[in-house]
Amino acid sequence: MKTVEISTQAIQGLSVRTRNADEMQADTARIGPLWADFAAQIAPHLAQGARVVGVYHRYESDAQGAFDVLAGTDALPSAAGDSLALSRIDIVAGQYLVFDAPGAMPHAVVDAWSCIWRYFADPLCPHRRAYTTDFECYSPDGVTEIFIGVRPS
């Protein structure tokens, strides 16, 4: 894990509202179908090497409350965006902790989020989540990183 400073970044894509409890049940999970829609509707329009990003935002409260997830990119050709009903979110500038998510998808991301929740649940954790924007970056080379917004110390 490392700490980085992130500038505001605009991401366009498809969005759903969910909560972690809903994602634990196959009949109420929305994130998997969201990524399937992304693969069918947006991925075919991406330029070679485009960055794919999953953004978590509009947090109701904390990890227990509702939140929005946007499956998107920062490099969607304008012609593709014109034909799709896309949402746009600006990743909030600030300090982020970066967690690696090694391994095969989607288990690597699920396992990484379990580590993230354990990290922040530790009473001795030196960081506090900001609950503004968090995001996953899927690079073309297969490396996935999860960025968690934290409050300034």
Side-chain angles (χ1 to χ4, degrees):
M1 170 182 49
K2 63 185 175 188
T3 304
V4 296
E5 196 71 26
I6 297 291
S7 306
T8 299
Q9 301 170 32
I11 307 295
Q12 291 184 81
L14 305 173
S15 187
V16 296
R17 188 143 182 93
T18 190
R19 60 184 67 242
N20 285 321
D22 293 342
E23 294 304 313
M24 302 304 165
Q25 306 294 325
D27 60 331
T28 56
R30 293 185 159 159
I31 295 175
L34 172 68
W35 283 106
D37 289 346
F38 175 88
Q41 297 177 36
I42 295 178
H45 301 287
L46 295 178
Q48 182 72 17
R51 194 169 71 135
V52 174
V53 182
V55 183
Y56 299 80
H57 62 104
R58 287 192 52 219
Y59 286 98
E60 179 180 70
S61 55
D62 56 18
Q64 307 310 312
F67 54 91
D68 286 1
V69 182
L70 182 134
T73 182
D74 60 354
L76 188 63
S78 59
D82 293 344
S83 64
L84 299 170
L86 299 178
S87 298
R88 179 188 161 181
I89 180 67
D90 289 329
I91 292 174
V92 175
Q95 189 175 39
Y96 287 78
L97 293 181
V98 184
F99 295 82
D100 293 331
M105 294 300 154
H107 301 296
V109 170
V110 172
D111 292 345
W113 274 103
S114 293
C115 291
I116 292 165
W117 292 327
R118 280 194 305 276
Y119 176 81
F120 285 103
D122 184 336
L124 300 177
C125 179
H127 301 99
R128 296 284 173 247
R129 286 185 67 183
Y131 289 105
T132 53
T133 53
D134 302 310
F135 60 101
E136 302 160 351
C137 274
Y138 300 91
S139 69
D141 62 4
V143 174
T144 302
E145 295 178 311
I146 301 176
F147 293 72
I148 304 296
V150 292
R151 296 180 188 163
S153 318

Short mmCIF file of all heavy atoms in Angstrom, two decimals, residues 86-127:
data_model
loop_
_atom_site.label_atom_id
_atom_site.label_comp_id
_atom_site.label_asym_id
_atom_site.label_seq_id
_atom_site.Cartn_x
_atom_site.Cartn_y
_atom_site.Cartn_z
N LEU A 86 -24.74 7.85 -20.98
CA LEU A 86 -23.64 7.72 -20.04
C LEU A 86 -23.78 8.67 -18.86
O LEU A 86 -24.33 9.76 -18.98
CB LEU A 86 -22.31 8.00 -20.74
CG LEU A 86 -21.95 7.08 -21.90
CD1 LEU A 86 -20.63 7.52 -22.51
CD2 LEU A 86 -21.89 5.65 -21.44
N SER A 87 -23.22 8.24 -17.74
CA SER A 87 -23.07 9.10 -16.57
C SER A 87 -21.64 9.60 -16.56
O SER A 87 -20.75 9.00 -17.14
CB SER A 87 -23.34 8.31 -15.29
OG SER A 87 -24.65 7.83 -15.26
N ARG A 88 -21.43 10.71 -15.87
CA ARG A 88 -20.08 11.26 -15.73
C ARG A 88 -19.85 11.57 -14.26
O ARG A 88 -20.74 12.10 -13.58
CB ARG A 88 -19.93 12.52 -16.55
CG ARG A 88 -18.54 13.09 -16.38
CD ARG A 88 -18.37 14.42 -17.00
NE ARG A 88 -17.19 15.01 -16.38
CZ ARG A 88 -16.72 16.18 -16.66
NH1 ARG A 88 -17.32 16.93 -17.53
NH2 ARG A 88 -15.66 16.63 -16.06
N ILE A 89 -18.66 11.24 -13.79
CA ILE A 89 -18.27 11.56 -12.42
C ILE A 89 -16.86 12.14 -12.46
O ILE A 89 -16.04 11.72 -13.27
CB ILE A 89 -18.34 10.32 -11.49
CG1 ILE A 89 -17.93 10.65 -10.05
CG2 ILE A 89 -17.47 9.19 -12.01
CD1 ILE A 89 -18.87 11.55 -9.33
N ASP A 90 -16.61 13.11 -11.62
CA ASP A 90 -15.26 13.63 -11.45
C ASP A 90 -14.68 13.00 -10.19
O ASP A 90 -15.24 13.16 -9.10
CB ASP A 90 -15.26 15.15 -11.30
CG ASP A 90 -15.60 15.86 -12.59
OD1 ASP A 90 -15.28 15.32 -13.67
OD2 ASP A 90 -16.20 16.95 -12.53
N ILE A 91 -13.57 12.28 -10.35
CA ILE A 91 -12.87 11.75 -9.19
C ILE A 91 -12.38 12.95 -8.40
O ILE A 91 -11.78 13.88 -8.96
CB ILE A 91 -11.71 10.83 -9.62
CG1 ILE A 91 -12.28 9.56 -10.27
CG2 ILE A 91 -10.80 10.50 -8.45
CD1 ILE A 91 -11.25 8.64 -10.86
N VAL A 92 -12.64 12.95 -7.11
CA VAL A 92 -12.28 14.06 -6.24
C VAL A 92 -10.76 14.12 -6.05
O VAL A 92 -10.13 13.09 -5.76
CB VAL A 92 -12.99 13.93 -4.87
CG1 VAL A 92 -12.55 15.01 -3.90
CG2 VAL A 92 -14.51 13.97 -5.06
N ALA A 93 -10.19 15.29 -6.23
CA ALA A 93 -8.76 15.47 -5.99
C ALA A 93 -8.47 15.29 -4.51
O ALA A 93 -9.28 15.65 -3.66
CB ALA A 93 -8.32 16.87 -6.44
N GLY A 94 -7.32 14.72 -4.21
CA GLY A 94 -6.92 14.57 -2.81
C GLY A 94 -6.00 13.39 -2.59
O GLY A 94 -5.44 12.82 -3.53
N GLN A 95 -5.90 13.02 -1.33
CA GLN A 95 -5.00 11.94 -0.92
C GLN A 95 -5.73 10.60 -0.98
O GLN A 95 -6.86 10.48 -0.51
CB GLN A 95 -4.50 12.20 0.50
CG GLN A 95 -3.42 11.27 0.95
CD GLN A 95 -2.89 11.66 2.31
OE1 GLN A 95 -3.64 12.06 3.19
NE2 GLN A 95 -1.59 11.54 2.49
N TYR A 96 -5.06 9.60 -1.56
CA TYR A 96 -5.61 8.26 -1.71
C TYR A 96 -4.59 7.22 -1.26
O TYR A 96 -3.39 7.40 -1.50
CB TYR A 96 -5.99 7.98 -3.17
CG TYR A 96 -7.21 8.71 -3.64
CD1 TYR A 96 -7.16 10.06 -3.98
CD2 TYR A 96 -8.44 8.07 -3.74
CE1 TYR A 96 -8.29 10.75 -4.40
CE2 TYR A 96 -9.58 8.75 -4.17
CZ TYR A 96 -9.49 10.08 -4.49
OH TYR A 96 -10.61 10.76 -4.91
N LEU A 97 -5.08 6.17 -0.64
CA LEU A 97 -4.27 4.99 -0.39
C LEU A 97 -4.47 4.06 -1.57
O LEU A 97 -5.60 3.88 -2.03
CB LEU A 97 -4.69 4.27 0.89
CG LEU A 97 -4.46 5.00 2.21
CD1 LEU A 97 -4.91 4.12 3.37
CD2 LEU A 97 -2.99 5.36 2.38
N VAL A 98 -3.40 3.45 -2.05
CA VAL A 98 -3.47 2.56 -3.20
C VAL A 98 -3.21 1.12 -2.74
O VAL A 98 -2.17 0.84 -2.14
CB VAL A 98 -2.44 2.95 -4.28
CG1 VAL A 98 -2.60 2.06 -5.50
CG2 VAL A 98 -2.58 4.41 -4.66
N PHE A 99 -4.17 0.26 -3.00
CA PHE A 99 -4.07 -1.16 -2.67
C PHE A 99 -3.98 -1.95 -3.97
O PHE A 99 -4.76 -1.72 -4.90
CB PHE A 99 -5.32 -1.63 -1.90
CG PHE A 99 -5.48 -0.99 -0.55
CD1 PHE A 99 -6.04 0.28 -0.43
CD2 PHE A 99 -5.09 -1.66 0.59
CE1 PHE A 99 -6.20 0.87 0.81
CE2 PHE A 99 -5.25 -1.08 1.85
CZ PHE A 99 -5.81 0.18 1.96
N ASP A 100 -3.02 -2.89 -4.04
CA ASP A 100 -2.90 -3.75 -5.21
C ASP A 100 -3.94 -4.86 -5.13
O ASP A 100 -4.29 -5.33 -4.04
CB ASP A 100 -1.51 -4.38 -5.28
CG ASP A 100 -0.43 -3.34 -5.55
OD1 ASP A 100 -0.73 -2.33 -6.21
OD2 ASP A 100 0.71 -3.55 -5.10
N ALA A 101 -4.43 -5.29 -6.31
CA ALA A 101 -5.39 -6.39 -6.40
C ALA A 101 -4.83 -7.43 -7.37
O ALA A 101 -5.28 -7.53 -8.51
CB ALA A 101 -6.75 -5.87 -6.86
N PRO A 102 -3.82 -8.22 -6.91
CA PRO A 102 -3.21 -9.20 -7.80
C PRO A 102 -4.10 -10.43 -7.99
O PRO A 102 -4.90 -10.77 -7.12
CB PRO A 102 -1.92 -9.57 -7.07
CG PRO A 102 -2.25 -9.38 -5.62
CD PRO A 102 -3.22 -8.22 -5.58
N GLY A 103 -3.97 -11.06 -9.15
CA GLY A 103 -4.68 -12.30 -9.38
C GLY A 103 -5.76 -12.18 -10.43
O GLY A 103 -5.93 -11.15 -11.08
N ALA A 104 -6.51 -13.26 -10.56
CA ALA A 104 -7.56 -13.35 -11.58
C ALA A 104 -8.81 -12.59 -11.15
O ALA A 104 -9.18 -12.57 -9.98
CB ALA A 104 -7.91 -14.82 -11.83
N MET A 105 -9.44 -11.96 -12.13
CA MET A 105 -10.69 -11.22 -11.89
C MET A 105 -11.86 -12.20 -11.91
O MET A 105 -11.80 -13.19 -12.61
CB MET A 105 -10.90 -10.16 -12.96
CG MET A 105 -9.89 -9.07 -12.93
SD MET A 105 -9.95 -8.22 -11.35
CE MET A 105 -8.31 -7.62 -11.26
N PRO A 106 -12.92 -11.93 -11.20
CA PRO A 106 -13.14 -10.79 -10.32
C PRO A 106 -12.67 -11.04 -8.89
O PRO A 106 -12.74 -10.16 -8.04
CB PRO A 106 -14.65 -10.62 -10.36
CG PRO A 106 -15.17 -12.02 -10.48
CD PRO A 106 -14.15 -12.73 -11.36
N HIS A 107 -12.17 -12.25 -8.63
CA HIS A 107 -11.79 -12.60 -7.25
C HIS A 107 -10.70 -11.69 -6.68
O HIS A 107 -10.71 -11.39 -5.48
CB HIS A 107 -11.35 -14.07 -7.17
CG HIS A 107 -12.43 -15.01 -7.61
ND1 HIS A 107 -13.63 -15.14 -6.92
CD2 HIS A 107 -12.51 -15.83 -8.67
CE1 HIS A 107 -14.39 -16.00 -7.54
NE2 HIS A 107 -13.75 -16.45 -8.61
N ALA A 108 -9.79 -11.23 -7.53
CA ALA A 108 -8.72 -10.37 -7.05
C ALA A 108 -9.27 -9.08 -6.44
O ALA A 108 -8.83 -8.65 -5.38
CB ALA A 108 -7.76 -10.04 -8.19
N VAL A 109 -10.27 -8.50 -7.09
CA VAL A 109 -10.85 -7.25 -6.59
C VAL A 109 -11.67 -7.51 -5.33
O VAL A 109 -11.59 -6.75 -4.36
CB VAL A 109 -11.70 -6.55 -7.68
CG1 VAL A 109 -12.50 -5.40 -7.12
CG2 VAL A 109 -10.79 -6.07 -8.79
N VAL A 110 -12.42 -8.59 -5.31
CA VAL A 110 -13.21 -8.95 -4.12
C VAL A 110 -12.28 -9.16 -2.93
O VAL A 110 -12.52 -8.66 -1.82
CB VAL A 110 -14.08 -10.20 -4.39
CG1 VAL A 110 -14.74 -10.70 -3.11
CG2 VAL A 110 -15.12 -9.89 -5.45
N ASP A 111 -11.19 -9.90 -3.14
CA ASP A 111 -10.22 -10.15 -2.06
C ASP A 111 -9.56 -8.85 -1.60
O ASP A 111 -9.35 -8.64 -0.41
CB ASP A 111 -9.15 -11.15 -2.51
CG ASP A 111 -9.70 -12.55 -2.72
OD1 ASP A 111 -10.84 -12.84 -2.25
OD2 ASP A 111 -9.01 -13.37 -3.36
N ALA A 112 -9.22 -7.98 -2.54
CA ALA A 112 -8.60 -6.70 -2.18
C ALA A 112 -9.55 -5.85 -1.34
O ALA A 112 -9.13 -5.24 -0.36
CB ALA A 112 -8.15 -5.95 -3.43
N TRP A 113 -10.84 -5.82 -1.71
CA TRP A 113 -11.81 -5.05 -0.92
C TRP A 113 -11.95 -5.64 0.49
O TRP A 113 -12.09 -4.89 1.47
CB TRP A 113 -13.17 -4.98 -1.62
CG TRP A 113 -13.23 -3.84 -2.58
CD1 TRP A 113 -13.14 -3.90 -3.94
CD2 TRP A 113 -13.36 -2.45 -2.25
NE1 TRP A 113 -13.20 -2.63 -4.48
CE2 TRP A 113 -13.35 -1.73 -3.48
CE3 TRP A 113 -13.50 -1.75 -1.07
CZ2 TRP A 113 -13.46 -0.34 -3.52
CZ3 TRP A 113 -13.62 -0.36 -1.12
CH2 TRP A 113 -13.60 0.32 -2.33
N SER A 114 -11.85 -6.94 0.64
CA SER A 114 -11.88 -7.55 1.98
C SER A 114 -10.71 -7.05 2.81
O SER A 114 -10.87 -6.72 3.99
CB SER A 114 -11.85 -9.08 1.89
OG SER A 114 -13.03 -9.56 1.30
N CYS A 115 -9.53 -6.97 2.19
CA CYS A 115 -8.35 -6.44 2.89
C CYS A 115 -8.54 -4.97 3.25
O CYS A 115 -8.16 -4.53 4.34
CB CYS A 115 -7.11 -6.61 2.02
SG CYS A 115 -6.59 -8.31 1.80
N ILE A 116 -9.13 -4.21 2.34
CA ILE A 116 -9.37 -2.78 2.60
C ILE A 116 -10.32 -2.60 3.79
O ILE A 116 -10.06 -1.79 4.68
CB ILE A 116 -9.93 -2.10 1.33
CG1 ILE A 116 -8.85 -2.05 0.25
CG2 ILE A 116 -10.49 -0.71 1.64
CD1 ILE A 116 -9.36 -1.75 -1.15
N TRP A 117 -11.41 -3.36 3.82
CA TRP A 117 -12.36 -3.24 4.93
C TRP A 117 -11.70 -3.62 6.26
O TRP A 117 -11.93 -2.98 7.28
CB TRP A 117 -13.60 -4.09 4.69
CG TRP A 117 -14.45 -3.58 3.55
CD1 TRP A 117 -14.63 -2.28 3.17
CD2 TRP A 117 -15.21 -4.36 2.64
NE1 TRP A 117 -15.46 -2.22 2.08
CE2 TRP A 117 -15.83 -3.47 1.74
CE3 TRP A 117 -15.43 -5.73 2.50
CZ2 TRP A 117 -16.67 -3.91 0.72
CZ3 TRP A 117 -16.26 -6.16 1.47
CH2 TRP A 117 -16.86 -5.26 0.61
N ARG A 118 -10.87 -4.68 6.24
CA ARG A 118 -10.15 -5.07 7.47
C ARG A 118 -9.19 -3.98 7.90
O ARG A 118 -9.07 -3.66 9.09
CB ARG A 118 -9.40 -6.39 7.27
CG ARG A 118 -10.27 -7.61 7.39
CD ARG A 118 -9.46 -8.90 7.53
NE ARG A 118 -8.50 -9.11 6.46
CZ ARG A 118 -8.77 -9.64 5.28
NH1 ARG A 118 -10.00 -10.05 5.00
NH2 ARG A 118 -7.84 -9.79 4.37
N TYR A 119 -8.48 -3.39 6.94
CA TYR A 119 -7.52 -2.34 7.25
C TYR A 119 -8.20 -1.17 7.97
O TYR A 119 -7.74 -0.71 9.01
CB TYR A 119 -6.84 -1.86 5.95
CG TYR A 119 -5.90 -0.70 6.18
CD1 TYR A 119 -4.61 -0.92 6.66
CD2 TYR A 119 -6.29 0.61 5.92
CE1 TYR A 119 -3.74 0.14 6.88
CE2 TYR A 119 -5.43 1.68 6.14
CZ TYR A 119 -4.16 1.44 6.62
OH TYR A 119 -3.30 2.49 6.86
N PHE A 120 -9.32 -0.70 7.42
CA PHE A 120 -9.99 0.47 8.01
C PHE A 120 -10.77 0.12 9.27
O PHE A 120 -11.08 1.00 10.06
CB PHE A 120 -10.88 1.15 6.98
CG PHE A 120 -10.09 1.95 5.98
CD1 PHE A 120 -9.87 1.46 4.70
CD2 PHE A 120 -9.55 3.18 6.31
CE1 PHE A 120 -9.13 2.18 3.77
CE2 PHE A 120 -8.80 3.91 5.40
CZ PHE A 120 -8.59 3.41 4.12
N ALA A 121 -11.09 -1.16 9.48
CA ALA A 121 -11.81 -1.57 10.69
C ALA A 121 -10.87 -1.68 11.89
O ALA A 121 -11.34 -1.67 13.04
CB ALA A 121 -12.50 -2.92 10.46
N ASP A 122 -9.58 -1.75 11.65
CA ASP A 122 -8.61 -1.86 12.74
C ASP A 122 -8.64 -0.57 13.57
O ASP A 122 -8.46 0.52 13.02
CB ASP A 122 -7.21 -2.07 12.15
CG ASP A 122 -6.14 -2.28 13.20
OD1 ASP A 122 -6.29 -1.85 14.36
OD2 ASP A 122 -5.11 -2.89 12.84
N PRO A 123 -8.86 -0.68 14.88
CA PRO A 123 -8.92 0.54 15.70
C PRO A 123 -7.62 1.34 15.70
O PRO A 123 -7.62 2.53 16.00
CB PRO A 123 -9.24 0.03 17.10
CG PRO A 123 -9.29 -1.46 17.03
CD PRO A 123 -9.11 -1.89 15.63
N LEU A 124 -6.52 0.72 15.32
CA LEU A 124 -5.23 1.42 15.27
C LEU A 124 -4.90 1.95 13.87
O LEU A 124 -3.80 2.46 13.64
CB LEU A 124 -4.11 0.49 15.75
CG LEU A 124 -4.26 -0.03 17.19
CD1 LEU A 124 -3.14 -0.99 17.53
CD2 LEU A 124 -4.33 1.13 18.17
N CYS A 125 -5.84 1.84 12.97
CA CYS A 125 -5.63 2.32 11.60
C CYS A 125 -5.30 3.82 11.63
O CYS A 125 -6.06 4.60 12.21
CB CYS A 125 -6.87 2.06 10.74
SG CYS A 125 -6.67 2.63 9.05
N PRO A 126 -4.20 4.23 10.99
CA PRO A 126 -3.82 5.64 11.01
C PRO A 126 -4.59 6.51 10.02
O PRO A 126 -4.41 7.73 10.01
CB PRO A 126 -2.33 5.60 10.64
CG PRO A 126 -2.20 4.38 9.79
CD PRO A 126 -3.19 3.39 10.34
N HIS A 127 -5.44 5.91 9.19
CA HIS A 127 -6.18 6.65 8.17
C HIS A 127 -7.68 6.57 8.40
O HIS A 127 -8.17 5.60 8.97
CB HIS A 127 -5.87 6.10 6.77
CG HIS A 127 -4.43 6.17 6.42
ND1 HIS A 127 -3.58 5.10 6.52
CD2 HIS A 127 -3.68 7.21 5.95
CE1 HIS A 127 -2.37 5.46 6.14
NE2 HIS A 127 -2.40 6.73 5.79
#
